[in-house]
């Protein structure tokens, strides 16, 4: 009977090496090669000549005996099978019979009339080679004794290159299974899969420890299991999503400020679900100028993407605004999620929205939040840069990474464009699709393009780590959707209700503006302002020349070149820097 996973496992979304965001197969390099080499070492480490079983030989368990006899059989050109066992109320199984694979005779089967059946010739020929065991309990310890043994065969024994092809020894190990499934999913026919495995292992054709038909049977059987699992998972998903909707309905009855919505397909089955809480909506009214839409987690069991709308409060901590479960990652689903965000938050759009690197999500933001500034998190880009270019560039990668980091921090868009083209030319990446993707999205991640956006420090490494810790707190338990819904509520409430520790704020500049800031700002905001005040002192007053209409040329005291134009508009309380 087929069973489905009992745990609701959530994984981080990753892009497959094939470039498909929706392919979640993980390939772990040469795992199958290393496992095969370990097997070869284990076999070669055994003595070429084993001691033949004999009457009186003792084993701890019957399985130990079967393994020993099986190894002996393989080295001597045959295989074995389990024949009979006998049971007693006191000892349980107390007798075991192991015999040659050609022992006995095939039963005569009556052929149904009118039907064609293949007439397979049986390999059984009445061979009498055997090993019989009996269990005895001595001083409370069970032991198995060989009571009969015969190594007399009435058939020809096989050479080593033939015995390995007996069904008992044709095993597809786990690493090979994963590789076969990956290649099958990619559309490789069976004979090509076998050829790829031979090339990867560096062996001649026909030397795999299994046959082409074993690979075919394995793929067919696995497809049947997947189909059965899919049917059970679909049923579980439908039942659990209905329970989740019931939980949302019950929460709404108890708390009128709770909001939720969902979509159904043409068969009235739930597709997407979104929800938020009254406290979260109130917090958004205060801190909703900038949000982070995190889409890094996906449920294996339910095949649903989890998205969380998270902001930052005036103490620098992540603050939960709401979440969504999406059936897929299409433009339609992402657009619906953003529509729910705006509806839940009473029509207020954020000034800036930070997301991971996802072209589909970018298009949805352009459609649903046309006035919002879209920023792609550099912390979602850097791991992809490593996976995309480290192998391709080899020893040049460290130099490329340094240049990429420098490009990210450039202040001028003109300098970015010039140095980007130089980098692409130096490393020969003119036709690379990943370089093309990064360049097409440059206005959302390069600091020279997003420097004027209001980010409230959510693009920092510290904030990214805080969000990661918060989300891990949600996914710490593996449970059904209803329990997951409850866990989200608990985690969101704890996060939004936390109070910061009282801190003493030290003055560093003695400027009046610093003293005033210490009185009205939180420690997080004060420290950020204080850092800028100290940095501003690197721009000496005598290095700035006042111009007409409130404009200034400002120059760093160590830099002869690179002056910046600062425009001050006092009536609008605005300051702009080039």
């Amino acid at each position: 009977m087929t069973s489905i996973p009992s745990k609701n496992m959530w994984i981080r979304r990753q892009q497959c090496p094939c470039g498909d965001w929706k392919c979640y197969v993980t390939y772990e390099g040469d795992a199958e090669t290393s496992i095969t080499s370990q097997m070869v070492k284990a076999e070669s480490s055994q003595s070429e000549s084993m001691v033949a079983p004999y009457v009186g030989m003792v084993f701890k368990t019957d399985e130990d005996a079967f393994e020993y006899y099986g190894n002996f059989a393989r080295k001597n050109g045959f295989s074995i099978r389990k024949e009979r066992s006998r049971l007693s109320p006191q000892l349980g199984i107390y007798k075991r019979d192991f015999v040659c694979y050609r022992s006995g005779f095939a039963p005569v089967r009556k052929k149904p009339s009118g039907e064609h059946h293949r007439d397979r010739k049986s390999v059984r020929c009445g061979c009498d080679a055997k090993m019989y065991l009996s269990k005895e309990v001595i001083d409370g310890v069970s032991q198995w004794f060989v009571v009969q043994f015969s190594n007399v065969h009435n058939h020809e024994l096989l050479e080593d290159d033939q015995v390995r092809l007996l069904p008992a020894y044709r095993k597809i190990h786990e690493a090979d299974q994963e590789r076969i499934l990956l290649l099958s999913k990619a559309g490789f026919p069976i004979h090509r899969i076998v050829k790829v495995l031979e090339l990867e292992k560096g062996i001649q054709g026909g030397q795999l420890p299994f046959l082409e038909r074993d690979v075919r049977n394995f793929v067919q059987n696995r497809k049947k299991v997947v189909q059965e699992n899919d049917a059970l998972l679909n049923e579980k998903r439908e039942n659990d999503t209905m329970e989740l909707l019931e939980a949302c309905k019950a929460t709404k009855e108890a708390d009128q400020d709770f909001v939720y919505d969902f979509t159904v397909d043409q068969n009235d089955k739930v597709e997407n679900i979104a929800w938020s809480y009254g406290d979260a909506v109130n917090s958004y009214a205060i801190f909703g100028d900038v949000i982070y839409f995190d889409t890094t987690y996906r449920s294996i069991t339910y095949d649903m993407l989890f998205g969380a709308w998270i902001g930052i409060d005036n103490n620098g901590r992540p603050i939960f605004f709401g979440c969504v479960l999406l059936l897929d990652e299409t433009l339609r689903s992402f657009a619906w999620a953003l529509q729910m965000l705006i509806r839940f938050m009473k029509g207020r759009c954020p000034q800036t929205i930070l997301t991971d690197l996802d072209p589909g999500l970018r298009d949805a933001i352009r459609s649903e939040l046309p006035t919002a500034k879209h920023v792609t998190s550099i912390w979602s880009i850097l791991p992809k840069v490593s996976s995309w270019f480290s192998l391709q560039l080899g020893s040049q990668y460290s130099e490329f990474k340094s240049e990429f980091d420098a490009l990210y921090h450039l202040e001028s868009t003109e300098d970015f464009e010039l140095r980007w083209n130089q980098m692409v030319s130096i490393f020969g990446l003119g036709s690379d699709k990943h370089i093309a993707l990064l360049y097409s999205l440059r206005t959302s991640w390069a600091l020279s393009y997003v420097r004027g956006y209001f980010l409230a420090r959510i693009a920092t490494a510290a904030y990214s780590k805080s969000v990661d810790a918060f989300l891990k707190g949600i996914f710490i338990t593996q449970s059904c959707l209803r329990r997951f819904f409850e866990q989200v509520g608990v985690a969101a409430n704890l996060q939004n209700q936390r109070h910061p520790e009282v801190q003493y704020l030290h003055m560093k500049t003695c400027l009046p503006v610093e003293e005033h800031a210490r009185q009205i700002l939180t420690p997080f905001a004060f420290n950020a302002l204080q850092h800028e005040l100290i940095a501003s002192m690197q721009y000496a007053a005598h290095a700035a020349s006042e111009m007409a209409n409130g404009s200034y040329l400002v120059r760093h005291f160590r830099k002869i070149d690179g002056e910046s134009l600062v425009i001050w508009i006092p009536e609008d309380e605005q300051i702009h820097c080039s």
Side-chain angles (χ1 to χ4, degrees):
M1 179 177 178
T2 305
S3 61
I4 62 175
S6 60
K7 291 187 176 181
N8 171 25
M9 186 185 299
W10 293 84
I11 59 170
R12 279 189 172 276
R13 232 165 35 110
Q14 295 179 349
Q15 187 176 23
C16 179
C18 71
D20 188 356
W21 280 97
K22 299 167 182 61
C23 178
Y24 295 97
V25 178
T26 302
Y27 171 47
E28 299 188 8
D30 293 326
E32 66 278 338
T33 305
S34 62
I35 289 177
T36 303
S37 65
Q38 291 171 14
M39 290 170 52
V40 172
K41 291 178 182 178
E43 289 180 0
S44 63
S45 65
Q46 295 180 1
S47 172
E48 287 298 323
S49 58
M50 292 181 64
V51 175
Y54 54 88
V55 175
M57 197 173 192
V58 182
F59 297 94
K60 290 183 178 180
T61 67
D62 54 338
E63 288 301 324
D64 289 347
F66 184 76
E67 181 181 0
Y68 188 90
Y69 190 24
N71 290 334
F72 172 81
R74 179 163 189 168
K75 290 183 177 295
N76 286 274
F78 66 103
S79 67
I80 62 172
R81 70 173 190 270
K82 295 176 181 178
E83 180 73 354
R84 292 176 299 177
S85 62
R86 272 137 290 187
L87 185 70
S88 78
Q90 294 79 23
L91 296 175
I93 296 177
Y94 69 99
K95 287 189 180 296
R96 283 283 197 189
D97 295 352
F98 304 144
V99 299
C100 174
Y101 77 112
R102 303 194 68 173
S103 172
F105 297 94
V108 179
R109 297 181 179 178
K110 188 177 181 181
K111 298 180 180 179
S113 59
E115 294 185 19
H116 176 71
H117 287 269
R118 287 186 298 172
D119 188 13
R120 291 184 180 179
K121 184 178 180 181
S122 173
V123 298
R124 298 190 182 187
C125 60
C127 179
D128 195 41
K130 59 183 178 286
M131 184 174 81
Y132 292 173
L133 301 173
S134 180
K135 181 169 72 173
E136 295 184 18
V137 179
I138 302 174
D139 296 330
V141 178
S142 298
Q143 291 183 320
W144 290 81
F145 292 84
V146 176
V147 293
Q148 286 191 54
F149 175 73
S150 171
N151 198 32
V152 178
H153 299 263
N154 64 352
H155 56 87
E156 185 178 355
L157 298 178
L158 303 177
E159 297 295 331
D160 185 62
D161 62 336
Q162 296 173 313
V163 74
R164 69 181 182 84
L165 299 178
L166 291 176
Y169 305 129
R170 296 204 311 264
K171 304 293 184 184
I172 303 179
H173 295 280
E174 186 175 352
D176 289 328
Q177 291 180 12
E178 292 179 2
R179 193 72 176 121
I180 289 168
L181 291 174
L182 182 67
L183 294 171
S184 177
K185 185 176 181 179
F188 281 62
I190 300 300
H191 71 279
R192 290 292 298 164
I193 293 176
V194 172
K195 187 65 176 176
V196 168
L197 292 175
E198 291 171 344
L199 290 173
E200 289 180 342
K201 296 176 182 295
I203 59 178
Q204 296 181 352
Q207 294 302 307
L208 289 170
F210 44 83
L211 303 178
E212 182 175 316
R213 70 169 178 264
D214 298 323
V215 177
R216 180 174 291 104
N217 291 337
F218 168 73
V219 171
Q220 290 175 348
N221 291 336
R222 185 55 63 94
K223 285 181 178 178
K224 291 178 183 178
V225 171
V226 169
Q227 290 172 355
E228 293 171 357
N229 275 347
D230 285 346
L232 291 171
L233 281 172
N234 286 335
E235 182 181 356
K236 176 177 175 59
R237 178 180 169 274
E238 291 174 19
N239 293 336
D240 285 3
T241 50
M242 292 307 298
E243 285 189 5
L244 174 57
L245 287 181
E246 289 296 324
C248 288
K249 182 179 179 181
T251 304
K252 179 66 175 177
E253 292 174 354
D255 178 10
Q256 289 301 308
D257 292 330
F258 176 80
V259 286
Y260 76 101
D261 204 347
F262 61 95
T263 63
V264 295
D265 60 17
Q266 62 271 24
N267 298 317
D268 287 334
K269 294 180 180 178
V270 176
E271 293 179 313
N272 309 311
I273 309 173
W275 68 90
S276 184
Y277 306 89
D279 289 344
V281 174
N282 294 334
S283 296
Y284 183 90
I286 304 172
F287 303 113
D289 298 299
V290 54
I291 67 169
Y292 172 41
F293 187 23
D294 184 279
T295 56
T296 56
Y297 283 90
R298 166 174 285 274
S299 167
I300 294 178
T301 302
Y302 299 101
D303 195 25
M304 299 184 81
L305 179 72
F306 176 78
W309 303 303
I310 306 172
I312 186 171
D313 67 11
N314 54 356
N315 291 297
R317 301 170 313 189
I319 187 167
F320 181 82
F321 292 144
C323 62
V324 62
L325 287 171
L326 300 176
L327 186 60
D328 54 41
E329 299 163 42
T330 61
L331 171 61
R332 173 175 168 269
S333 293
F334 282 135
W336 180 83
L338 295 173
Q339 291 167 12
M340 291 304 100
L341 169 68
I342 302 307
R343 186 165 75 79
F344 291 171
M345 304 307 160
K346 303 176 181 178
R348 181 184 175 188
C349 295
Q351 290 185 37
T352 309
I353 181 169
L354 186 79
T355 71
D356 298 325
L357 182 64
D358 193 315
L361 187 51
R362 174 197 60 184
D363 294 339
I365 291 171
R366 286 177 177 175
S367 171
E368 303 302 325
L369 303 177
T371 62
K373 304 295 187 182
H374 179 208
V375 177
T376 302
S377 169
I378 190 64
W379 310 110
S380 70
I381 292 177
L382 292 179
K384 294 178 177 58
V385 169
S386 176
S387 65
W388 288 341
F389 302 112
S390 59
L391 289 177
Q392 179 180 351
L393 296 177
S395 60
Q396 289 184 299
Y397 175 71
S398 59
E399 183 183 352
F400 168 82
K401 180 63 167 51
S402 298
E403 181 62 21
F404 185 85
D405 290 340
L407 276 167
Y408 169 70
H409 289 97
L410 286 176
E411 294 185 356
S412 164
T413 56
E414 291 80 7
D415 289 344
F416 178 90
E417 296 291 337
L418 177 63
R419 288 186 59 174
W420 180 273
N421 291 330
Q422 292 174 345
M423 180 188 73
V424 171
S425 176
I426 290 172
F427 294 100
L429 299 172
S431 60
D432 187 89
K433 64 179 182 180
H434 296 124
I435 278 289
L437 174 64
L438 289 171
Y439 183 74
S440 69
L441 299 175
R442 67 192 183 284
T443 57
S444 71
W445 62 265
L447 286 184
S448 56
Y449 287 96
V450 304
R451 192 174 294 278
Y453 297 175
F454 177 60
L455 288 168
R457 303 180 72 84
I458 70 167
T460 63
Y463 179 79
S464 178
K465 291 178 180 178
S466 297
V467 169
D468 192 46
F470 168 66
L471 292 176
K472 285 181 178 178
I474 293 177
F475 298 111
I476 195 170
T477 57
Q478 314 295 338
S479 58
C480 65
L481 284 181
R482 181 161 190 150
R483 290 282 300 129
F484 173 71
F485 170 77
E486 295 169 355
Q487 181 65 25
V488 170
V490 171
N493 184 63
L494 289 175
Q495 184 70 22
N496 292 0
Q497 297 300 323
R498 285 176 55 197
H499 296 289
E501 297 179 0
V502 177
Q503 299 181 29
Y504 179 76
L505 304 179
H506 296 274
M507 296 280 289
K508 292 184 179 180
T509 68
C510 296
L511 294 173
V513 68
E514 184 185 23
E515 175 61 34
H516 180 58
R518 185 169 71 163
Q519 296 174 14
I520 65 172
L521 298 181
T522 64
F524 169 76
F526 173 77
N527 289 333
L529 176 64
Q530 190 180 62
H531 174 80
E532 294 298 324
L533 284 174
I534 295 172
S536 71
M537 293 180 179
Q538 299 177 37
Y539 296 81
H542 64 268
S545 57
E546 185 173 356
M547 302 174 64
N549 65 15
S551 299
Y552 298 81
L553 285 176
V554 180
R555 185 180 295 111
H556 192 276
F557 79 99
R558 284 184 177 174
K559 297 179 180 177
I560 299 176
D561 301 322
E563 59 189 14
S564 301
L565 177 65
V566 177
I567 302 174
W568 177 32
I569 309 175
E571 57 270 21
D572 296 334
E573 296 185 351
Q574 292 184 7
I575 299 177
H576 300 275
C577 177
S578 62

